[in-house]
Amino acid sequence: MYVAVKGGEAAIRNAHRLLADRRRGNRDVPALRLDQIVEQLSLGVDRVMAEGSLYDRELAALAIVQSRGDLIEAIFLVRAYRTTLPRFGYTRPVDTAAMLVERRISATYKDLPGGQLLGPTFDYTHRLLDPELAAGGAVETPAQRPADAERMSRVSEILAGEGLIEPDGELPVDRDVADITREPLEFPMERDARLQALARGDEGFLLALGYSTQRGYGRTHPFVGEIRIGEVELELDVPELPFAVPLGRVRVTECQMVNQFKGSAKAPPQFTRGYGLVFGQAERKAMAMSLCDRALRAREFGEDVVAPAQDEEFVVSHLDNVQSTGFVEHLKLPHYVDFQAELDLVRRMRAEHGRTPAVGAAETKEAAE
Amino acid sequence: MSARTSEIASYNFAYLDEQTKRMIRRAILKGIAIPGYQVPFASREMPMPYGWGTGGVQITASIIGRDDVLKVIDQGADDTTNAVSIRAFFARVAGVAVTTETAKATIIQTRHRIPEHPLGEGQVLVYQVPIPEPLRYLEPRETETRKMHALEEYGLMHVKLYEDIARHGHIATTYAYPVKVEGRYVMDPSPTPKFDNPKMHMSPALQLFGAGREKRIYALPPYTRVVSLDFEDHPFEVQRFEQPCALCGARNVYLDEVILDDRGGRMFVCSDTDYCEKRRDEGGVAANPFEPDEAAT
Amino acid sequence: MTDTLDGGFSDPVFAAQGVFRAVMDAMARPGSIRQLPALAAPPTPLTPAGAAVALTLCDHETAIWLDPVLQAARGAVAWLGFHAGAPLARTPAEAQFAIVSAPGDCIALENFSQGTQEYPDRSATLIFQIETLSGGRKLVLKGPGIATTATIAPAPLPRHFVEQWRQNGARFPRGVDIVLAAPEGIACLPRTTRIEPQEG
């Protein structure tokens, strides 16, 4: 009886002890070290950093161990920590054209300045389980070449040269950049706030929504203008100093989706954009994000809002997996007080039903809370 | 926690950082100044899941001090697992005294019940709220419900309640029963059974409501008029139990139905465990001796 | 002469908590007088009580408006900037908080942000630094938070305050809220509080 009148404390203590035991597993197997996770489960670490909104590999690795590899639980652990950290300021916008690129592909051009660079991708691997990995064989060092010193211009800049694509979004001069962790959401949202919400949104949720736009639920006619992955420099303006202070480098994945647009009363025919930017190497997420970003700009371009992916309140209210998992899972908390009230009502209505056959079936409140 | 872990992660008194507390405190003050109005706030992730009391926990963390005595209940009971967990959280991060006695607490955090023992002037009741918007199940869009509150346009709610009457002969809402505050805002009392609604009216205690996932805080100052919505020909009424508590003999309290066996045997006992224990200590009549301690596993 | 760097809370976490509870209780029970458990030691014309309330509630997320006397006091402005980190609002309508060191000369309440019908919480909270909560003209208060009536006698107050306050109440749910900070303690007037008409 999990709502034991006495013994709740002991039950919780014992549950935690058992959890710790199961987390550790067979003691004859060496315990995982954080550096092993950082090095060898790096995409899992990246996802936890991205959706946890905290760029710290070691903490993300700790969260993964602590959560027994449940990434949503790990994201939750990281969020609950980062939310307590003081806010020192906001960095300058990162310049992804100055990125130290490890991967860069475009689907809209065969070749382009800077070239196509496949990088560490699963794309052309054959998905055959590899027994050699299980055996722990030696791994070759990768082929390397010196990095290009020049900026690698982005596909959007190439299109912009011809005036075919809408310009980069600009923040109005009198407005500070939004911060969804400091200000409650307000609908309709500005695009900067919405992009922040998408960047920490659940990969699976955004993937499904992005997919739905491809199947006709809010079509956006997308082309992958470019995906690039690599490290960018972070810089902070400090009021007392005449120059921006470099804070270090973070790895990000950027996706610029280029969308055909026939024009409307609000905008001329041109290519429009959907944008995705995610911590770490997270290509699927960045692509899904850019599809959703474009779909959610329907109002801006005077398009009809007819599909779930275009519905800002729907998408933004449900994309956060820490929120979703909490509320779905809270249904397992005791609800017996309200259930008692419902029991009483259903008994009463059944008794009344027997007396007056014309009355319809009992309608009870749908959601347990 | 290993020494290494505490090096890479550390927390403030009552978990929240001071900036967050200030933000929540400002929202609480506006909530008090506009009774029943839901103040948006930048709710933080808490170390327990959304839906498990993060709104209430954020309020408690923002108001609690070293001299406070905290009581936490869930379903009216101090020893339900989530109440135990939240109480342990505050004992750990704030080092405050905790109690199960309603009368001794300065802050009572609750989910789904208001204690039976009348609250006093020095007390704050903090509610955990899942869906703060009373109109949400009638209109899912925040943009719409916000307009309705702004225009004091509550026709939809009355239509819903009246449809109940048309279909069932009475209002079929048993918990989270909407109230009107000081004749202005329609407010969700959180999913307390409507049995508890009258306790909110002109309470000497300050009542604060926190919805973490939905990012809303609202409040009822003490001595505030709180009226359950009803109709002249169908006045609001609370559910009544036919028998008294089987343990302490209390009447006019909210009872839980406890299943005793799989042949339909059941008993009704106080949902407020502290109230029930107090009455038994004071020699209340037990119609049916029953030791909950032994039933627990 | 108080230094800019001195005079903040000596124990910031618990001082802010204690002062907040006093403000919360005072806001919840209008007309009741609460002693502050901790005070600040700011440069004049800021007062220990007014500054304690400001440090408790304001930070870089809240724009503060200062009345002309305070605006002219460079030491006080620098002190607030250092200890609260709050930006100064250019106009009273942009401020979330206003600190008024000479309430008798305060501009009309309607100049401050009143919030909107959709977001009435986006209204200003005014911190009046006053001399007394008991030596001024008696105000009999009613409304939420008050069982029957409450009485305070704050001074100084803005000109035609009773009429201004009636108009503030008529704007409900919009309107400003006031924290009265005096040497003897604090009291609050949320927008829901009504001042009963007095003979004479």
Side-chain angles (χ1 to χ4, degrees):
Chain A
M1 194 167 158
Y2 78 126
V3 288
V5 178
K6 292 281 176 204
E9 264 165 74
I12 289 174
R13 210 165 37 240
N14 286 336
H16 290 175
R17 223 171 114 189
L18 185 59
L19 170 66
D21 174 82
R22 294 296 192 265
R23 178 192 291 127
R24 179 60 183 83
N26 183 345
R27 310 292 200 276
D28 295 336
V29 176
L32 273 173
R33 294 196 321 262
L34 299 191
D35 58 349
Q36 290 176 314
I37 294 169
V38 168
E39 293 298 320
Q40 297 176 38
L41 295 177
S42 53
L43 298 192
V45 168
D46 283 354
R47 180 169 176 198
V48 171
M49 293 198 302
E51 293 172 33
S53 303
L54 183 70
Y55 197 90
D56 187 318
R57 291 204 159 83
E58 199 181 18
L59 283 181
L62 171 61
I64 289 171
V65 175
Q66 194 174 328
S67 65
R68 305 174 67 191
D70 177 340
L71 292 192
I72 290 183
E73 179 69 23
I75 289 160
F76 180 15
L77 284 167
V78 167
R79 286 265 197 99
Y81 175 64
R82 67 92 72 188
T83 197
T84 67
L85 301 176
R87 187 64 41 108
F88 295 119
Y90 297 89
T91 65
R92 287 186 168 184
V94 295
D95 180 7
T96 52
M99 179 189 281
L100 192 61
V101 170
E102 192 171 51
R103 169 168 168 80
R104 190 269 195 119
I105 54 161
S106 168
T108 51
Y109 294 98
K110 182 175 184 190
D111 198 7
L112 68 170
Q116 308 257 19
L117 196 61
L118 282 184
T121 177
F122 292 119
D123 284 353
Y124 306 102
T125 61
H126 296 142
R127 270 58 168 205
L128 305 170
L129 286 171
D130 181 359
E132 280 184 29
L133 271 180
V139 176
E140 294 184 274
T141 51
Q144 287 183 315
R145 66 175 163 96
D148 292 325
E150 299 158 37
R151 298 173 90 244
M152 192 185 279
S153 53
R154 302 180 302 175
V155 165
S156 53
E157 291 165 25
I158 296 167
L159 279 167
E162 234 185 303
L164 295 178
I165 195 164
E166 57 165 335
D168 272 323
E170 291 287 343
L171 198 65
V173 279
D174 57 345
R175 203 168 76 82
D176 292 329
V177 71
D179 182 344
I180 59 163
T181 69
R182 301 283 132 164
E183 294 290 331
L185 296 182
E186 186 186 331
F187 297 109
M189 299 171 87
E190 297 291 337
R191 191 172 173 211
D192 55 343
R194 204 165 60 208
L195 284 169
Q196 286 174 24
L198 292 170
R200 51 162 40 192
D202 181 72
E203 179 173 315
F205 180 78
L206 296 183
L207 180 65
L209 281 175
Y211 176 48
S212 73
T213 66
Q214 290 180 281
R215 292 193 65 259
Y217 289 87
R219 259 186 102 188
T220 62
H221 309 274
F223 297 91
V224 171
E226 178 177 351
I227 294 167
R228 59 172 66 192
I229 303 175
E231 291 190 345
V232 291
E233 185 86 36
L234 292 183
E235 294 179 324
L236 182 72
D237 282 321
V238 179
E240 293 79 24
L241 297 175
F243 52 88
V245 180
L247 299 177
R249 307 180 74 82
V250 295
R251 179 184 303 277
V252 295
T253 302
E254 182 187 54
C255 175
Q256 297 238 37
M257 206 60 87
V258 174
N259 304 76
Q260 184 213 91
F261 178 61
K262 293 200 171 73
S264 72
K266 285 190 177 177
Q270 60 184 328
F271 288 110
T272 57
R273 299 196 233 186
Y275 188 70
L277 185 72
V278 187
F279 277 156
Q281 179 171 345
E283 199 161 292
R284 185 188 302 119
K285 165 75 178 279
M287 293 178 75
M289 174 177 171
S290 58
L291 288 173
C292 290
D293 172 47
R294 177 59 186 83
L296 288 169
R297 295 176 69 199
R299 202 168 16 94
E300 188 185 327
F301 293 118
E303 297 167 332
D304 292 335
V305 174
V306 291
Q310 298 170 312
D311 184 333
E312 178 179 89
E313 250 199 88
F314 176 79
V315 173
V316 177
S317 301
H318 301 115
L319 56 67
D320 189 295
N321 54 26
V322 178
Q323 290 173 16
S324 327
T325 198
F327 202 45
V328 167
E329 293 196 47
H330 108 287
L331 289 173
K332 64 194 165 190
L333 289 180
H335 283 80
Y336 57 79
V337 162
D338 292 338
F339 188 70
Q340 184 63 51
E342 294 289 279
L343 267 178
D344 182 61
L345 178 71
V346 172
R347 281 176 185 146
R348 195 147 61 100
M349 289 200 300
R350 282 179 64 86
E352 288 162 5
H353 183 76
R355 288 198 299 273
T356 52
V359 175
E363 181 197 335
T364 56
K365 210 167 161 72
E366 278 181 25
E369 281 151 5
Chain B
M1 210 182 265
S2 74
R4 208 181 108 67
T5 324
S6 53
E7 267 168 39
I8 56 178
S10 62
Y11 300 98
N12 190 23
F13 171 80
Y15 178 77
L16 296 174
D17 60 285
E18 291 302 298
Q19 199 178 326
T20 297
K21 287 182 194 168
R22 272 192 299 273
M23 177 273 294
I24 293 171
R25 287 167 180 168
R26 292 191 291 261
I28 291 172
L29 293 183
K30 287 299 174 192
I32 291 171
I34 317 165
Y37 165 75
Q38 303 161 51
V39 183
F41 81 112
S43 175
R44 304 295 200 246
E45 284 87 357
M46 296 300 288
M48 59 275 296
Y50 281 118
W52 298 53
T54 55
V57 169
Q58 287 182 78
I59 288 181
T60 299
S62 300
I63 68 175
I64 202 164
R66 282 181 290 204
D67 300 333
D68 275 306
V69 180
L70 178 69
K71 172 182 166 83
V72 183
I73 50 172
D74 188 335
Q75 313 296 298
D78 297 275
D79 230 339
T80 36
T81 40
N82 203 40
V84 168
S85 166
I86 290 172
R87 197 165 53 236
F89 172 72
F90 281 110
R92 176 173 164 188
V93 299
V96 295
V98 294
T99 185
T100 58
E101 291 183 54
T102 300
K104 286 191 179 161
T106 54
I107 299 173
I108 301 169
Q109 181 169 327
T110 181
R111 176 169 173 266
H112 293 195
R113 276 309 312 276
I114 300 175
E116 306 290 2
H117 189 283
L119 300 178
E121 290 212 333
Q123 296 183 302
V124 183
L125 185 59
V126 179
Y127 295 76
Q128 301 172 199
V129 183
I131 302 280
E133 178 50 69
L135 306 165
R136 184 60 71 234
Y137 294 116
L138 308 173
E139 168 52 64
R141 281 176 197 283
E142 165 71 14
T143 36
E144 293 302 315
T145 53
R146 185 160 291 279
K147 259 183 245 158
M148 293 177 189
H149 285 294
L151 301 172
E152 210 177 339
E153 176 51 66
Y154 295 124
L156 201 57
M157 181 63 88
H158 283 97
V159 168
K160 192 262 171 202
L161 294 176
Y162 211 84
E163 276 176 0
D164 274 6
I165 294 171
R167 276 183 85 177
H168 312 297
H170 47 78
I171 292 170
T173 299
T174 59
Y175 61 93
Y177 189 103
V179 296
K180 196 158 199 184
V181 180
E182 283 289 325
R184 177 57 178 82
Y185 282 101
V186 167
M187 187 191 95
D188 180 88
S190 88
T192 47
K194 67 179 177 181
F195 179 89
D196 284 337
N197 276 19
K199 295 177 188 163
M200 306 177 106
H201 176 65
M202 295 303 273
S203 169
L206 170 63
Q207 301 172 78
L208 301 176
F209 299 77
R213 194 178 36 76
E214 298 281 337
K215 302 179 170 52
R216 296 290 184 274
I217 284 172
Y218 52 104
L220 294 172
Y223 306 114
T224 294
R225 287 178 291 143
V226 181
V227 179
S228 302
L229 298 185
D230 63 359
F231 300 92
E232 263 181 33
D233 49 343
H234 285 91
F236 172 79
E237 50 185 28
V238 300
Q239 64 249 62
R240 308 222 165 273
F241 293 88
E242 284 163 17
Q243 63 273 74
C245 169
L247 299 180
C248 75
R251 291 181 185 275
N252 301 318
V253 295
Y254 197 80
L255 301 178
D256 294 333
E257 184 171 333
V258 179
I259 307 294
L260 298 174
D261 53 48
D262 54 8
R263 297 180 307 278
R266 57 175 62 105
M267 65 192 283
F268 287 84
V269 300
C270 286
S271 130
D272 184 334
T273 50
D274 172 61
Y275 183 80
C276 194
E277 279 167 29
K278 282 273 171 320
R279 278 182 55 89
R280 278 181 283 158
D281 289 348
E282 288 157 13
V285 185
N288 182 357
F290 174 67
E291 275 306 314
D293 299 35
E294 289 166 19
T297 52
Chain C
M1 188 82 198
T2 313
D3 194 83
T4 299
L5 306 183
D6 295 333
F9 288 137
S10 55
D11 187 356
V13 172
F14 295 102
Q17 188 274 332
V19 172
F20 170 71
R21 276 294 274 280
V23 175
M24 181 180 88
D25 287 340
M27 194 66 85
R29 298 167 202 282
S32 69
I33 296 171
R34 307 278 154 172
Q35 305 236 313
L36 296 182
L39 294 170
T44 55
L46 284 170
T47 63
V53 173
L55 285 192
T56 297
L57 296 176
C58 304
D59 56 31
H60 69 263
E61 293 179 345
T62 55
I64 306 185
W65 183 82
L66 303 176
D67 71 353
V69 180
L70 269 170
Q71 280 175 35
R74 291 183 54 186
V77 173
W79 188 90
L80 272 176
F82 180 78
H83 291 279
L88 292 184
R90 281 162 295 187
T91 66
E94 289 171 31
Q96 279 159 284
F97 287 88
I99 307 178
V100 181
S101 65
D105 300 324
C106 186
I107 55 170
L109 299 185
E110 65 188 12
N111 291 301
F112 294 100
S113 172
Q114 308 288 314
T116 64
Q117 199 70 14
E118 280 80 13
Y119 293 95
D121 56 303
R122 296 182 184 172
S123 61
T125 302
L126 316 181
I127 302 168
F128 283 2
Q129 298 189 148
I130 62 170
E131 289 156 21
T132 176
L133 283 164
S134 52
R137 187 180 147 200
K138 221 160 79 166
L139 303 178
V140 176
L141 311 178
K142 281 193 166 183
I146 304 169
T148 51
T149 59
T151 306
I152 48 170
L157 288 177
R159 283 180 291 275
H160 310 297
F161 180 73
V162 173
E163 174 55 21
Q164 284 203 61
W165 193 248
R166 192 192 61 73
Q167 290 173 7
N168 189 61
R171 285 190 281 268
F172 191 84
R174 300 162 66 234
V176 299
D177 309 303
I178 298 176
V179 180
L180 301 166
E184 69 210 270
I186 59 155
C188 290
L189 294 173
R191 66 196 78 177
T192 49
T193 300
R194 300 183 298 279
I195 300 175
E196 291 292 294
Q198 297 281 291
E199 313 77 70

